[in-house]
Amino acid sequence: MRMALRILFHLLHRPSIISHSAIFTRRSKLSFNMNVSTNTHKDILIIGGGIIGCSTAYQLTRHPSFSSATTTIKVIEASKHGPAQGASGKAGGLVAKWAYPKELVAVSFAEHVKFAQEHNGQDRWGWRFVRCGSWEGKGAVLDEDEEFGDGLGAGGQRKSLEKTLGLGEGTGHKNDPASRKRKGLPDDLLWVDESLTHTYSPMAGDGDTAQVHPLLFTNSMMELAAKKGAQLIAGRAIKLNISDGVVTGVDIIHKDSGKSETLRATHVILAAGAWSSSLLESLPISSTRAHSITIHPQPSVDIAPYVLFTEISLPGRRGLTVSPEIYARPGNEVYACGPGDDSFLPKNVDDVTIDEAACESIWKHVCGISPELRAGTVNKRQACFLPIVETGGGPIVGAASNIAQGLIIATGHTCWGICNAPGTAKALSELVMDGKIQCANLQRLHPSNYL
């Protein structure tokens, strides 16, 4: 029922955005084309060292017509700590065929598989297929005097991450095979308490869900791009430079020296996630803050590779349920995240604040259904901001030719940035190098529908 309601909500509230400019672009080659020469020297600036920006740098360097002699690629990252300091490093890293939007998923999933095969993704960034299921049950009383929060960060209203909207079709507790079968629990899912389980049901078929470690994946994309000549610049982009309807460059402030510089460009790709609208105010991008933790179980505990979307009834809190997502990862690590909130977006990713109480609540929620996790150690408590398209739908991907020739937008990927980055990057590499997107029909995501 919970899943059906989420899907229905998505269908009812995902508006069809058709403006006069969108109608025009259907009749014009400008809907995909950059309308600039594909034979001249290209100076490409990518604003944002998250998964979209780093994957785009990678795909550009792998394009058949790429040459370091005729193309320069610079990735501008505002964090002093390097790439993937926002959602790209703190996400769950889920990769799914049932994600949305379908136009990007169809390309991205295949690209993920390809990347992993070419670069030993299993060892390099934790690539593997996982099983995905919906778990419903009750949480155990951990301590008579213990208070349970709701996992929500202070300073904002609750916001659903809506990750499942695209879906179609241990030790310390007793294992009862007959009861497990009746409840639908798989034989190897032993790190949740069977006695607390009401129901378990698979949410996707085998081979439809995979995962990466997002921090490792993002940094690997940048490292592989750098080997082909892409350059990472530690600096904050402060202004887009546009002259006579053509983008000419970006003003930045270098992190180390504090000095300002104007970088010239023939193409500017705006992929700054939740911060994208700070450079282009007309972009309808808002943000959702999400908290998460990582747990290292005891070395002797085997954590089977499952991703669980949970519905947990809290003990002593009649009628109150929480829905943390729990991802088993390679290397004896478990990731868990709570709901989102609409707290204020800081000016820089390095200034994101962590609500310790929200992280503590997430830990209590997941430990309440798993003695194995309760016996483990919390390794990280973190928060990040996801980029959301305010008007619904999205992400926004394509040439913003109505703003300036050479300007490309790639933001608003919500919770599916890691999943859809390879497909987004492939489309953008074609747009820059060939003058048009060929891997998919992304008209529905075109910037003219939003700007």
Side-chain angles (χ1 to χ4, degrees), residues 27 47 68-69 74 133 169 190 203 225 313 331 333 423 437:
R27 300 173 181 174
I47 303 175
S68 58
K74 296 177 181 178
E169 298 289 76
L190 299 174
M203 295 168 63
S313 300
E333 181 177 86
I437 296 173

Side-chain angles (χ1 to χ4, degrees), residues 23-101:
I23 294 172
F24 171 77
T25 55
R26 287 194 182 97
R27 300 173 181 174
S28 171
K29 291 183 180 180
L30 285 177
S31 61
F32 290 127
N33 291 0
M34 289 298 299
N35 198 29
V36 295
S37 172
T38 60
N39 299 318
T40 58
H41 192 285
K42 297 177 177 63
D43 292 309
I44 306 166
L45 296 181
I46 302 173
I47 303 175
I51 187 57
I52 304 299
C54 291
S55 293
T56 300
Y58 170 90
Q59 291 281 40
L60 283 166
T61 62
R62 265 62 185 178
H63 190 278
S65 64
F66 171 78
S67 168
S68 58
T70 59
T71 303
T72 63
I73 303 170
K74 296 177 181 178
V75 179
I76 305 167
E77 171 51 43
S79 174
K80 62 183 178 182
H81 303 294
Q85 297 306 307
S88 296
K90 299 176 175 65
L94 197 60
V95 178
K97 289 183 179 179
W98 45 266
Y100 57 86

Side-chain angles (χ1 to χ4, degrees), residues 254-270:
H254 287 276
K255 273 293 177 183
D256 292 337
S257 65
K259 294 181 179 179
S260 60
E261 181 183 4
T262 297
L263 301 178
R264 76 180 191 90
T266 58
H267 302 77
V268 173
I269 300 173
L270 181 52

